[in-house]
Amino acid sequence: VETLCYSTLNLYAGSSFVVYGNFTTSGSCSNTTPTILNNSGNLSVFGTFTQVAGTYSYINNYSNGTLNIYNDFSKNEHTWFNNYGNINITNGNFNSTGNNENFFYNKDGGKVVIDNSGAPSKADNLTNIYLDEGLILEAGSIFSLIKTNLNVTGGGSSPHDLTTIAGQLSIKDGNFDFRAGGGKIKVNSTGSIYVYDTDNSGDGVLNMSYGGGALTVEGIVYAEGVSITSGGGTSVSVNNGGNMFIGNIGLYTGSNNNDMIVYNGGTLNYCGNKTAGADYLGTINAGATLNYASGYYTTQTPGGQSDFIVGGTQVAAFNNAESCLAAFDNGVSSALPIIMDNFDVRRDGETVAVLWSTLAEVNNDFFTVLRSFDAQTFDEIAEVNGVGTSSIKHNYLFIDENPQD
């Protein structure tokens, strides 16, 4: 299918359209910004999907719309894509190149899933885009990568050097390689980034190489590893209300002037690998919290060993690296707005006590307590109020007065 200027393909709710080939926008439409596709139905493309540079094309995938692409998706300069619905890319690249009016909006309710389980060499490549235009994740949106690396290169020049994550960016069994020199990422209070490894292949790493970059966390960031392998002047800041979870840290500090700072009201959960001596990684300011794995620090705290300069609170919240990583896994794989610390059930005479604690909660209204006698059928027996949004530890208790009923 080749769409030209002033021609629009409209798919209405309940309709389906299948392309056994490629879908391409073509023709130079100047600045008339024509709409090429309005999709509220189901569009499947068994080939490449391309917005060609200079077409000034608009594509709208509305809330009822589903776009399935079984190959590569590509877009370039002078193109716009608005997603309110579902986009599924299977075994294909997501390529966006060029920085002149190259917009991709994932709107509230929009969900993009790129699953390259069958083609792990495929990737999400954002090359020389403006960081404030090329991938916009609005609050309530999800952008999910499976067996797929997210590679961001170039695009770090002012005034287009800041990408704001207001929705959820999830990278399962892949890495986030942010090589936009001077580029900045801000995860605001509604936003989150999850980079995690479920197949023990060593990925799940946020790599902020190339120097001069910045990550500001006001929402939630989970990374099994954070690495800065070259360049200097890169900073990671966890602000008030921000919650960051890191399995390992590899920062070149000292002369390269890289740094991590947790500010008043921010929380860092750290499983990291303890080295023999002081290994300055960052600063925990007054009013900030460092939750760490005590298995790495049997005789000293992270502050006592000078791995961190601690002016706030440091808590041995995890027994060892394994329980620390388990808390991380629970926080990601459950897709719940909480990070669980522990869960326990105890018999107390004729009653049963249910105890649990969380390390962080985001817009968490309540917990539902279910009971089962056969591990198959569960009945709701109580609701326990959550704390809304918090980056500190909270303990919960529910007493079942009639466990045999």
Side-chain angles (χ1 to χ4, degrees), residues 58-148:
Y58 273 71
I59 294 179
N60 299 307
N61 190 53
Y62 291 115
S63 58
N64 292 328
T66 296
L67 172 59
N68 299 306
I69 303 171
Y70 298 93
N71 207 309
D72 296 344
F73 170 93
S74 301
K75 69 188 306 293
N76 211 306
E77 296 179 319
H78 303 302
T79 61
W80 287 256
F81 198 114
N82 300 307
N83 179 50
Y84 304 83
N86 294 294
I87 299 176
N88 302 301
I89 300 174
T90 303
N91 298 333
N93 292 310
F94 182 105
N95 294 321
S96 183
T97 306
N99 56 25
N100 192 355
E101 295 185 320
N102 182 8
F103 291 87
F104 186 95
Y105 292 92
N106 204 28
K107 301 286 190 176
D108 182 10
K111 184 176 182 180
V112 178
V113 177
I114 304 173
D115 188 346
N116 284 317
S117 298
S121 63
K122 301 282 189 173
D124 183 346
N125 302 301
L126 309 180
T127 306
N128 293 324
I129 63 169
Y130 282 152
L131 296 179
D132 61 342
E133 297 178 356
L135 183 62
I136 302 169
L137 305 183
E138 297 187 357
S141 70
I142 297 175
F143 198 90
S144 175
L145 310 180
I146 302 170
K147 291 282 187 179
T148 306

Coordinates of all heavy atoms in Angstrom, one line a residue, residues 58-148:
Y58 N 0.6 12.7 8.5 CA 0.1 12.5 9.8 C -0.6 11.1 9.9 O -1.4 10.8 9.0 CB -1.0 13.6 10.1 CG -0.5 14.8 10.7 CD1 0.2 15.7 10.0 CD2 -0.7 15.1 12.1 CE1 0.7 16.9 10.5 CE2 -0.2 16.3 12.6 CZ 0.5 17.2 11.8 OH 0.9 18.4 12.4
I59 N -0.3 10.4 10.9 CA -0.9 9.1 11.1 C -1.5 9.1 12.5 O -0.9 9.4 13.5 CB 0.0 7.9 11.0 CG1 0.5 7.8 9.5 CG2 -0.6 6.6 11.4 CD1 1.5 6.7 9.2
N60 N -2.8 8.7 12.6 CA -3.5 8.7 13.9 C -4.0 7.3 14.1 O -4.8 6.8 13.4 CB -4.7 9.7 13.9 CG -4.3 11.1 13.7 OD1 -3.4 11.6 14.4 ND2 -4.9 11.8 12.7
N61 N -3.5 6.7 15.2 CA -4.0 5.4 15.6 C -4.9 5.7 16.9 O -4.3 5.9 18.0 CB -2.9 4.4 15.9 CG -3.4 3.0 16.2 OD1 -4.1 2.4 15.4 ND2 -3.0 2.4 17.3
Y62 N -6.2 5.7 16.7 CA -7.1 6.1 17.8 C -7.3 5.0 18.9 O -6.8 3.9 18.7 CB -8.4 6.6 17.2 CG -8.3 7.8 16.4 CD1 -8.5 7.8 15.0 CD2 -7.9 9.0 17.0 CE1 -8.4 9.0 14.3 CE2 -7.8 10.2 16.3 CZ -8.0 10.2 14.9 OH -7.8 11.3 14.2
S63 N -8.0 5.4 19.9 CA -8.1 4.5 21.1 C -8.7 3.1 20.8 O -8.4 2.2 21.4 CB -9.0 5.2 22.2 OG -10.3 5.5 21.7
N64 N -9.6 3.0 19.8 CA -10.1 1.7 19.3 C -9.2 1.0 18.3 O -9.5 -0.1 17.9 CB -11.5 1.9 18.8 CG -12.5 2.3 19.8 OD1 -12.4 1.9 21.0 ND2 -13.5 3.1 19.4
G65 N -8.2 1.7 17.9 CA -7.3 1.2 16.8 C -6.2 0.2 17.3 O -5.6 0.4 18.4
T66 N -6.0 -0.8 16.5 CA -4.8 -1.7 16.7 C -4.1 -1.8 15.4 O -4.6 -2.0 14.3 CB -5.3 -3.1 17.1 OG1 -6.0 -3.0 18.4 CG2 -4.1 -4.0 17.2
L67 N -2.8 -1.5 15.5 CA -1.9 -1.6 14.4 C -0.9 -2.7 14.7 O -0.1 -2.6 15.6 CB -1.2 -0.3 14.2 CG 0.0 -0.2 13.1 CD1 -0.6 -0.6 11.7 CD2 0.6 1.2 13.1
N68 N -0.9 -3.8 13.8 CA 0.0 -4.9 14.0 C 1.0 -4.8 12.8 O 0.6 -4.9 11.6 CB -0.7 -6.2 14.0 CG -1.7 -6.3 15.1 OD1 -1.3 -6.2 16.3 ND2 -2.9 -6.6 14.8
I69 N 2.3 -4.8 13.1 CA 3.4 -4.7 12.1 C 4.3 -5.9 12.3 O 4.9 -6.1 13.4 CB 4.2 -3.4 12.2 CG1 3.2 -2.2 12.1 CG2 5.2 -3.4 11.1 CD1 3.9 -0.9 12.3
Y70 N 4.5 -6.7 11.3 CA 5.3 -7.9 11.4 C 6.6 -7.8 10.6 O 7.0 -8.6 9.9 CB 4.5 -9.1 10.9 CG 3.3 -9.4 11.7 CD1 2.0 -8.9 11.3 CD2 3.3 -10.2 12.9 CE1 0.9 -9.1 12.1 CE2 2.2 -10.4 13.6 CZ 1.0 -9.9 13.2 OH -0.1 -10.1 14.0
N71 N 7.2 -6.6 10.8 CA 8.5 -6.3 10.2 C 8.9 -5.0 10.8 O 8.5 -4.6 11.9 CB 8.4 -6.3 8.7 CG 9.7 -6.6 8.0 OD1 10.7 -6.0 8.3 ND2 9.7 -7.6 7.1
D72 N 9.7 -4.2 10.1 CA 10.3 -3.0 10.6 C 9.3 -1.8 10.5 O 8.5 -1.7 9.5 CB 11.6 -2.6 9.8 CG 12.7 -3.6 10.0 OD1 12.6 -4.4 10.9 OD2 13.6 -3.6 9.2
F73 N 9.4 -0.9 11.5 CA 8.7 0.4 11.4 C 9.7 1.5 11.3 O 10.7 1.5 12.1 CB 7.9 0.6 12.7 CG 7.3 2.0 12.9 CD1 6.0 2.3 12.4 CD2 8.0 3.0 13.5 CE1 5.5 3.5 12.6 CE2 7.5 4.3 13.6 CZ 6.3 4.5 13.2
S74 N 9.5 2.4 10.4 CA 10.5 3.5 10.2 C 9.8 4.8 9.9 O 8.8 4.8 9.3 CB 11.4 3.2 9.0 OG 12.1 2.0 9.1
K75 N 10.4 5.9 10.5 CA 9.9 7.2 10.2 C 11.1 8.1 10.2 O 12.2 7.9 10.7 CB 8.8 7.6 11.2 CG 9.3 7.9 12.6 CD 8.1 8.1 13.5 CE 7.2 9.2 13.1 NZ 7.8 10.6 13.1
N76 N 10.8 9.3 9.5 CA 11.9 10.3 9.3 C 11.4 11.7 9.5 O 10.3 11.9 10.0 CB 12.6 10.0 8.0 CG 14.0 10.3 7.9 OD1 14.5 11.4 8.3 ND2 14.9 9.4 7.5
E77 N 12.2 12.6 9.0 CA 11.8 14.0 9.2 C 10.5 14.4 8.5 O 10.1 13.8 7.5 CB 12.9 14.9 8.7 CG 14.2 14.8 9.4 CD 15.3 15.6 8.9 OE1 15.4 15.7 7.7 OE2 16.1 16.2 9.7
H78 N 9.8 15.4 9.1 CA 8.6 16.0 8.5 C 7.5 14.9 8.5 O 6.7 14.8 7.5 CB 8.8 16.5 7.1 CG 9.8 17.6 7.0 ND1 9.8 18.8 7.8 CD2 11.0 17.7 6.3 CE1 10.8 19.5 7.5 NE2 11.6 18.9 6.7
T79 N 7.4 14.1 9.6 CA 6.3 13.2 9.8 C 5.8 13.2 11.2 O 6.6 13.5 12.1 CB 6.8 11.7 9.4 OG1 7.8 11.3 10.3 CG2 7.2 11.6 8.0
W80 N 4.5 12.9 11.4 CA 3.9 12.9 12.7 C 3.2 11.6 12.9 O 2.5 11.1 12.0 CB 2.9 14.0 12.8 CG 3.5 15.4 12.9 CD1 3.6 16.2 14.0 CD2 4.0 16.2 11.8 NE1 4.2 17.4 13.7 CE2 4.4 17.4 12.4 CE3 4.2 16.0 10.5 CZ2 5.0 18.5 11.6 CZ3 4.8 17.0 9.7 CH2 5.2 18.2 10.3
F81 N 3.3 11.1 14.1 CA 2.5 9.8 14.4 C 1.9 10.0 15.8 O 2.6 10.3 16.8 CB 3.4 8.6 14.4 CG 2.7 7.3 14.3 CD1 2.8 6.5 13.2 CD2 1.9 6.9 15.4 CE1 2.2 5.3 13.1 CE2 1.2 5.7 15.3 CZ 1.4 4.9 14.1
N82 N 0.6 9.9 15.9 CA -0.1 10.0 17.2 C -0.8 8.7 17.5 O -1.6 8.2 16.8 CB -1.2 11.1 17.1 CG -0.7 12.5 16.8 OD1 0.2 13.0 17.4 ND2 -1.2 13.1 15.7
N83 N -0.4 8.1 18.7 CA -0.9 6.8 19.1 C -1.8 6.9 20.3 O -1.2 7.3 21.4 CB 0.2 5.8 19.3 CG -0.4 4.4 19.7 OD1 -1.3 3.9 19.1 ND2 0.1 3.9 20.8
Y84 N -3.1 6.6 20.2 CA -4.0 6.6 21.4 C -4.4 5.1 21.7 O -5.0 4.9 22.7 CB -5.2 7.4 21.1 CG -5.0 8.8 20.7 CD1 -4.7 9.2 19.4 CD2 -5.2 9.8 21.6 CE1 -4.6 10.5 19.0 CE2 -5.0 11.2 21.2 CZ -4.7 11.5 19.9 OH -4.5 12.8 19.5
G85 N -4.0 4.2 20.8 CA -4.5 2.8 20.9 C -3.4 1.9 21.1 O -2.5 2.1 21.9
N86 N -3.4 0.8 20.3 CA -2.4 -0.3 20.5 C -1.6 -0.5 19.2 O -2.1 -0.5 18.1 CB -3.1 -1.6 20.8 CG -3.8 -1.6 22.2 OD1 -3.1 -1.5 23.2 ND2 -5.1 -1.6 22.2
I87 N -0.3 -0.5 19.4 CA 0.7 -0.8 18.3 C 1.5 -2.0 18.7 O 2.1 -2.0 19.8 CB 1.6 0.4 18.0 CG1 0.8 1.6 17.5 CG2 2.6 0.0 16.9 CD1 1.6 2.8 17.3
N88 N 1.5 -3.0 17.9 CA 2.3 -4.2 18.2 C 3.3 -4.5 17.0 O 2.9 -4.6 15.9 CB 1.4 -5.5 18.3 CG 0.4 -5.3 19.4 OD1 0.7 -5.1 20.6 ND2 -0.9 -5.4 19.1
I89 N 4.6 -4.4 17.3 CA 5.6 -4.6 16.3 C 6.3 -6.0 16.7 O 6.8 -6.1 17.8 CB 6.6 -3.5 16.3 CG1 5.9 -2.2 15.9 CG2 7.7 -3.8 15.3 CD1 6.8 -1.0 16.0
T90 N 6.2 -6.9 15.8 CA 6.8 -8.3 16.1 C 7.9 -8.5 15.2 O 7.8 -8.4 13.9 CB 5.7 -9.3 15.9 OG1 4.6 -9.0 16.7 CG2 6.2 -10.7 16.2
N91 N 9.1 -8.8 15.8 CA 10.3 -9.2 15.0 C 10.7 -8.1 14.0 O 10.9 -8.3 12.8 CB 10.2 -10.5 14.3 CG 10.0 -11.6 15.3 OD1 10.4 -11.6 16.5 ND2 9.3 -12.7 14.9
G92 N 10.7 -6.9 14.5 CA 11.0 -5.7 13.6 C 11.7 -4.6 14.4 O 11.6 -4.4 15.6
N93 N 12.5 -3.8 13.6 CA 13.1 -2.6 14.2 C 12.1 -1.5 14.3 O 11.1 -1.5 13.6 CB 14.2 -2.1 13.2 CG 15.4 -3.0 13.2 OD1 16.0 -3.4 14.2 ND2 15.9 -3.4 12.0
F94 N 12.3 -0.6 15.3 CA 11.6 0.7 15.3 C 12.7 1.7 15.1 O 13.5 2.0 15.9 CB 11.0 0.8 16.7 CG 10.2 2.1 16.9 CD1 8.8 2.1 16.9 CD2 10.8 3.3 17.1 CE1 8.1 3.2 17.1 CE2 10.1 4.5 17.3 CZ 8.7 4.5 17.3
N95 N 12.7 2.3 13.9 CA 13.7 3.2 13.5 C 13.1 4.6 13.3 O 12.2 4.8 12.5 CB 14.4 2.8 12.1 CG 15.1 1.5 12.3 OD1 15.8 1.2 13.3 ND2 15.0 0.6 11.3
S96 N 13.7 5.6 14.0 CA 13.3 7.0 13.8 C 14.6 7.8 13.6 O 15.5 7.8 14.5 CB 12.5 7.5 15.0 OG 12.1 8.8 14.8
T97 N 14.7 8.5 12.5 CA 15.9 9.2 12.1 C 15.6 10.6 11.7 O 14.7 10.9 11.0 CB 16.6 8.4 10.9 OG1 16.8 7.1 11.3 CG2 18.0 9.1 10.6
G98 N 16.5 11.5 12.1 CA 16.4 12.9 11.7 C 15.6 13.7 12.7 O 14.8 13.3 13.5
N99 N 16.0 15.0 12.8 CA 15.5 15.9 13.9 C 14.7 17.1 13.4 O 14.4 18.0 14.2 CB 16.7 16.4 14.7 CG 17.7 17.1 13.8 OD1 17.4 17.6 12.8 ND2 19.0 17.1 14.3
N100 N 14.2 17.1 12.2 CA 13.4 18.2 11.8 C 11.9 17.8 11.6 O 11.6 17.1 10.7 CB 13.9 18.7 10.4 CG 13.3 20.1 10.1 OD1 12.5 20.6 10.7 ND2 13.8 20.6 9.0
E101 N 11.1 18.2 12.6 CA 9.7 17.8 12.7 C 9.5 16.3 12.5 O 8.8 15.8 11.7 CB 8.9 18.6 11.6 CG 8.9 20.1 11.8 CD 8.1 20.8 10.7 OE1 8.1 20.4 9.5 OE2 7.4 21.7 11.1
N102 N 10.1 15.6 13.4 CA 10.0 14.1 13.4 C 9.4 13.8 14.8 O 10.1 13.6 15.8 CB 11.4 13.5 13.3 CG 11.3 11.9 13.3 OD1 10.2 11.4 13.2 ND2 12.4 11.3 13.3
F103 N 8.0 13.7 14.8 CA 7.3 13.5 16.1 C 6.7 12.1 16.2 O 6.1 11.6 15.2 CB 6.2 14.6 16.2 CG 6.6 16.0 16.3 CD1 6.9 16.8 15.2 CD2 6.7 16.5 17.6 CE1 7.4 18.1 15.4 CE2 7.1 17.8 17.8 CZ 7.5 18.6 16.6
F104 N 6.8 11.5 17.4 CA 6.1 10.3 17.7 C 5.5 10.5 19.1 O 6.2 10.6 20.1 CB 6.9 9.1 17.7 CG 6.1 7.8 17.9 CD1 5.7 7.0 16.8 CD2 5.8 7.4 19.2 CE1 5.0 5.9 17.0 CE2 5.0 6.2 19.4 CZ 4.6 5.5 18.3
Y105 N 4.1 10.7 19.2 CA 3.4 10.9 20.4 C 2.7 9.6 20.8 O 1.9 9.0 20.1 CB 2.3 11.9 20.3 CG 2.8 13.3 20.0 CD1 3.0 13.8 18.7 CD2 3.0 14.2 21.1 CE1 3.4 15.1 18.5 CE2 3.4 15.5 20.9 CZ 3.6 16.0 19.6 OH 4.0 17.3 19.3
N106 N 3.1 9.1 22.0 CA 2.3 8.0 22.6 C 1.4 8.7 23.7 O 1.8 9.1 24.7 CB 3.2 7.0 23.3 CG 2.6 5.6 23.4 OD1 1.7 5.2 22.6 ND2 3.0 4.8 24.4
K107 N 0.1 8.8 23.3 CA -0.8 9.6 24.1 C -1.3 8.7 25.3 O -1.1 7.6 25.4 CB -2.0 10.0 23.2 CG -1.6 10.8 22.0 CD -1.2 12.2 22.4 CE -1.1 13.1 21.2 NZ -0.8 14.5 21.6
D108 N -2.1 9.4 26.2 CA -2.7 8.8 27.3 C -3.6 7.6 26.8 O -4.4 7.8 26.0 CB -3.6 9.8 28.1 CG -4.2 9.3 29.3 OD1 -3.9 8.1 29.7 OD2 -5.1 10.0 29.9
G109 N -3.3 6.4 27.4 CA -4.0 5.2 26.9 C -3.3 4.5 25.8 O -3.7 3.4 25.5
G110 N -2.3 5.1 25.2 CA -1.6 4.5 24.1 C -0.6 3.4 24.6 O 0.0 3.6 25.6
K111 N -0.5 2.3 23.9 CA 0.4 1.3 24.3 C 1.1 0.7 23.0 O 0.5 0.3 22.0 CB -0.4 0.1 24.9 CG 0.5 -1.0 25.4 CD -0.3 -2.1 26.2 CE 0.7 -3.2 26.7 NZ -0.1 -4.2 27.5
V112 N 2.4 0.7 23.1 CA 3.3 0.2 22.1 C 4.1 -1.0 22.6 O 4.7 -0.8 23.7 CB 4.3 1.3 21.5 CG1 5.2 0.7 20.5 CG2 3.5 2.5 21.0
V113 N 4.0 -2.1 22.0 CA 4.7 -3.3 22.4 C 5.6 -3.7 21.2 O 5.1 -4.0 20.1 CB 3.8 -4.4 22.8 CG1 4.6 -5.7 23.2 CG2 3.0 -4.0 24.0
I114 N 6.9 -3.8 21.4 CA 7.9 -4.2 20.4 C 8.5 -5.5 20.9 O 9.3 -5.5 21.9 CB 8.9 -3.2 20.1 CG1 8.3 -1.8 19.7 CG2 9.9 -3.7 19.1 CD1 9.3 -0.7 19.6
D115 N 8.1 -6.6 20.3 CA 8.5 -7.9 20.8 C 9.5 -8.6 19.8 O 9.0 -9.0 18.7 CB 7.3 -8.8 21.1 CG 7.7 -10.2 21.8 OD1 8.9 -10.5 21.8 OD2 6.8 -10.8 22.3
N116 N 10.7 -8.7 20.1 CA 11.7 -9.3 19.2 C 12.2 -10.6 19.7 O 13.4 -10.9 19.5 CB 12.8 -8.3 18.9 CG 12.4 -7.2 17.9 OD1 11.7 -7.4 16.9 ND2 12.8 -5.9 18.2
S117 N 11.4 -11.3 20.4 CA 11.8 -12.6 20.9 C 12.3 -13.5 19.8 O 13.2 -14.4 20.0 CB 10.6 -13.3 21.7 OG 10.2 -12.5 22.8
G118 N 11.7 -13.4 18.6 CA 12.1 -14.2 17.5 C 13.1 -13.6 16.6 O 13.6 -14.3 15.7
A119 N 13.6 -12.4 17.0 CA 14.6 -11.7 16.2 C 15.4 -10.8 17.1 O 15.3 -9.5 17.0 CB 14.0 -11.0 15.0
P120 N 16.2 -11.3 18.0 CA 16.8 -10.5 19.1 C 17.8 -9.5 18.5 O 18.3 -8.6 19.3 CB 17.5 -11.5 20.0 CG 17.6 -12.8 19.1 CD 16.4 -12.8 18.2
S121 N 18.2 -9.6 17.3 CA 19.1 -8.6 16.7 C 18.4 -7.3 16.3 O 19.1 -6.3 16.1 CB 19.8 -9.2 15.5 OG 18.9 -9.5 14.4
K122 N 17.1 -7.3 16.3 CA 16.3 -6.1 16.0 C 16.4 -5.2 17.2 O 16.6 -5.6 18.3 CB 14.9 -6.5 15.6 CG 14.7 -7.4 14.4 CD 14.9 -6.7 13.1 CE 14.5 -7.6 11.9 NZ 14.5 -6.8 10.7
A123 N 16.1 -3.9 17.0 CA 16.3 -2.9 18.0 C 15.4 -1.7 17.8 O 14.7 -1.6 16.8 CB 17.7 -2.5 18.2
D124 N 15.3 -0.9 18.8 CA 14.6 0.4 18.8 C 15.7 1.5 18.6 O 16.4 1.7 19.6 CB 13.8 0.6 20.0 CG 13.0 1.9 20.0 OD1 13.3 2.8 19.1 OD2 12.1 2.1 20.8
N125 N 15.9 2.1 17.4 CA 17.0 3.0 17.1 C 16.4 4.4 16.9 O 15.7 4.6 15.9 CB 17.7 2.5 15.9 CG 18.3 1.1 16.1 OD1 19.0 0.8 16.9 ND2 17.8 0.2 15.2
L126 N 16.8 5.3 17.8 CA 16.4 6.7 17.7 C 17.7 7.5 17.4 O 18.6 7.6 18.3 CB 15.8 7.2 19.0 CG 14.6 6.4 19.5 CD1 14.0 7.0 20.8 CD2 13.5 6.2 18.5
T127 N 17.9 7.9 16.1 CA 19.1 8.4 15.7 C 19.0 9.9 15.3 O 18.2 10.2 14.4 CB 19.6 7.6 14.5 OG1 19.7 6.2 14.8 CG2 21.0 8.1 14.0
N128 N 19.8 10.7 16.0 CA 19.8 12.2 15.7 C 18.4 12.8 15.7 O 18.1 13.7 14.9 CB 20.5 12.4 14.3 CG 21.9 12.1 14.3 OD1 22.6 12.2 15.3 ND2 22.4 11.5 13.2
I129 N 17.6 12.3 16.6 CA 16.3 13.0 16.8 C 16.4 14.1 17.8 O 17.4 14.2 18.6 CB 15.2 11.9 17.3 CG1 15.7 11.4 18.7 CG2 15.1 10.8 16.3 CD1 14.6 10.7 19.4
Y130 N 15.5 15.0 17.7 CA 15.3 16.0 18.8 C 14.7 15.2 20.0 O 13.7 14.6 19.8 CB 14.4 17.1 18.4 CG 15.1 18.2 17.6 CD1 14.3 19.0 16.7 CD2 16.4 18.4 17.6 CE1 14.9 19.9 15.9 CE2 17.0 19.4 16.8 CZ 16.3 20.1 16.0 OH 16.9 21.1 15.2
L131 N 15.4 15.3 21.1 CA 14.9 14.5 22.3 C 13.5 14.9 22.8 O 12.8 14.1 23.4 CB 15.9 14.6 23.4 CG 17.3 14.0 23.1 CD1 18.3 14.2 24.3 CD2 17.2 12.5 22.7
D132 N 13.1 16.1 22.5 CA 11.8 16.6 23.0 C 10.7 16.4 22.0 O 9.6 16.8 22.2 CB 11.9 18.1 23.4 CG 12.3 19.0 22.2 OD1 12.8 18.5 21.2 OD2 12.1 20.2 22.3
E133 N 11.1 15.7 20.8 CA 10.1 15.5 19.8 C 10.0 14.0 19.4 O 8.9 13.5 19.0 CB 10.4 16.3 18.6 CG 10.4 17.8 18.8 CD 10.7 18.6 17.5 OE1 11.1 18.0 16.5 OE2 10.7 19.9 17.6
G134 N 11.1 13.3 19.3 CA 11.2 12.0 18.7 C 10.5 10.9 19.3 O 10.0 10.0 18.7
L135 N 10.3 10.9 20.7 CA 9.6 9.9 21.4 C 9.0 10.6 22.6 O 9.7 10.8 23.6 CB 10.5 8.7 21.8 CG 9.8 7.6 22.5 CD1 8.8 6.9 21.6 CD2 10.8 6.5 22.9
I136 N 7.7 10.9 22.5 CA 7.0 11.6 23.6 C 6.1 10.6 24.3 O 5.1 10.1 23.7 CB 6.2 12.8 23.0 CG1 7.2 13.7 22.3 CG2 5.5 13.5 24.2 CD1 6.5 14.8 21.5
L137 N 6.3 10.3 25.5 CA 5.5 9.3 26.3 C 4.7 10.1 27.3 O 5.2 10.5 28.3 CB 6.4 8.3 27.0 CG 7.4 7.5 26.1 CD1 8.1 6.4 26.9 CD2 6.6 6.8 24.9
E138 N 3.4 10.3 27.0 CA 2.6 11.1 27.9 C 2.1 10.3 29.0 O 2.2 9.0 29.0 CB 1.4 11.6 27.1 CG 1.8 12.6 26.0 CD 0.6 13.3 25.3 OE1 -0.5 12.9 25.7 OE2 0.8 14.1 24.4
A139 N 1.6 10.9 30.1 CA 1.1 10.2 31.3 C 0.0 9.3 30.8 O -0.9 9.6 30.0 CB 0.6 11.2 32.3
G140 N 0.0 8.1 31.4 CA -1.0 7.1 31.1 C -0.6 6.2 29.9 O -1.4 5.3 29.5
S141 N 0.5 6.4 29.3 CA 0.9 5.7 28.1 C 2.0 4.6 28.5 O 2.6 4.7 29.5 CB 1.5 6.6 27.0 OG 2.8 7.1 27.4
I142 N 2.1 3.6 27.7 CA 3.1 2.5 27.9 C 3.9 2.3 26.6 O 3.3 2.1 25.5 CB 2.4 1.2 28.3 CG1 1.7 1.4 29.7 CG2 3.4 0.0 28.4 CD1 0.9 0.2 30.1
F143 N 5.2 2.2 26.7 CA 6.1 1.9 25.6 C 6.9 0.7 26.1 O 7.8 0.9 26.9 CB 6.9 3.1 25.2 CG 7.5 3.0 23.9 CD1 6.9 3.5 22.8 CD2 8.8 2.4 23.7 CE1 7.5 3.4 21.5 CE2 9.4 2.3 22.4 CZ 8.7 2.8 21.3
S144 N 6.6 -0.5 25.6 CA 7.2 -1.7 26.1 C 8.1 -2.4 25.1 O 7.6 -2.7 24.0 CB 6.1 -2.7 26.6 OG 6.6 -3.9 27.0
L145 N 9.3 -2.8 25.4 CA 10.3 -3.5 24.6 C 10.6 -4.8 25.2 O 10.9 -4.9 26.4 CB 11.6 -2.7 24.4 CG 11.4 -1.2 24.0 CD1 12.8 -0.6 23.9 CD2 10.7 -1.1 22.7
I146 N 10.5 -5.9 24.4 CA 10.8 -7.2 24.9 C 11.9 -7.8 24.0 O 11.8 -7.8 22.7 CB 9.6 -8.1 24.8 CG1 8.5 -7.5 25.6 CG2 9.9 -9.5 25.2 CD1 7.1 -8.2 25.4
K147 N 13.0 -8.2 24.6 CA 14.2 -8.7 23.8 C 14.7 -7.7 22.8 O 15.0 -8.0 21.7 CB 13.9 -10.0 23.1 CG 13.6 -11.2 24.0 CD 15.0 -11.8 24.5 CE 14.7 -13.1 25.3 NZ 16.0 -13.7 25.8
T148 N 14.6 -6.5 23.2 CA 14.9 -5.3 22.3 C 15.7 -4.3 23.0 O 15.3 -3.8 24.1 CB 13.6 -4.7 21.8 OG1 12.8 -5.7 21.2 CG2 13.8 -3.6 20.8

